[in-house]
């Protein structure tokens, strides 16, 4: 689920997941996929992707919010609930 810092859903946030082939110490099953996975959160901030066991870098972005990046580990046959909290970015208005 993609939410703002106050816990409200961020609809249509863009999610990119990339396999980290180097993995992490202690992670045995880093099968991963070389395909970069992308999706968009629904109106309630939820998204779903099927991934093989492994270590992944996840990137989340949405207009008006600071982007989020994190490393996650997915185990075999695991349904991993994921929450990214994106802070609002400072908006700067330039007039000419």
């Amino acid at each position: 689920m993609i939410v703002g810092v106050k816990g409200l859903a961020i609809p249509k946030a863009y999610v990119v997941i990339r396999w980290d082939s180097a993995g992490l110490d202690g992670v045995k099953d880093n099968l991963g996929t070389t395909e970069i996975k992308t999706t968009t959160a629904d109106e309630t901030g939820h998204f779903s992707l099927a991934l093989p066991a492994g270590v992944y870098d996840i990137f989340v972005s949405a207009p008006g919010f600071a982007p989020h990046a994190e490393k996650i580990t997915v185990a075999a046959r695991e349904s991993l609930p994921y929450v990214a909290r994106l802070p609002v970015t400072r908006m700067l208005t330039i007039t000419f």
Side-chain angles (χ1 to χ4, degrees):
M1 179 172 196
I2 312 303
V3 298
V5 292
K6 293 185 178 183
L8 298 175
I10 300 174
K12 300 187 190 287
Y14 186 64
V15 180
V16 177
I17 298 180
R18 185 184 66 79
W19 177 48
D20 181 351
S21 60
L24 292 171
D25 290 340
V27 176
K28 291 188 225 176
D29 297 324
N30 190 21
L31 306 174
T33 176
T34 57
E35 177 186 357
I36 295 174
K37 301 280 191 168
T38 62
T39 191
T40 303
D42 65 16
E43 293 299 321
T44 63
H46 290 94
F47 71 95
S48 179
L49 286 170
L51 299 167
V55 178
Y56 296 88
D57 295 314
I58 183 167
F59 306 93
V60 183
S61 63
F65 293 87
H68 175 84
E70 186 173 1
K71 192 169 296 295
I72 61 171
T73 302
V74 177
R77 295 175 294 282
E78 176 182 41
S79 178
L80 180 68
Y82 180 79
V83 177
R85 294 188 184 280
L86 280 59
V88 175
T89 58
R90 291 182 141 182
M91 301 298 284
L92 177 64
T93 303
I94 299 174
T95 56
F96 295 93

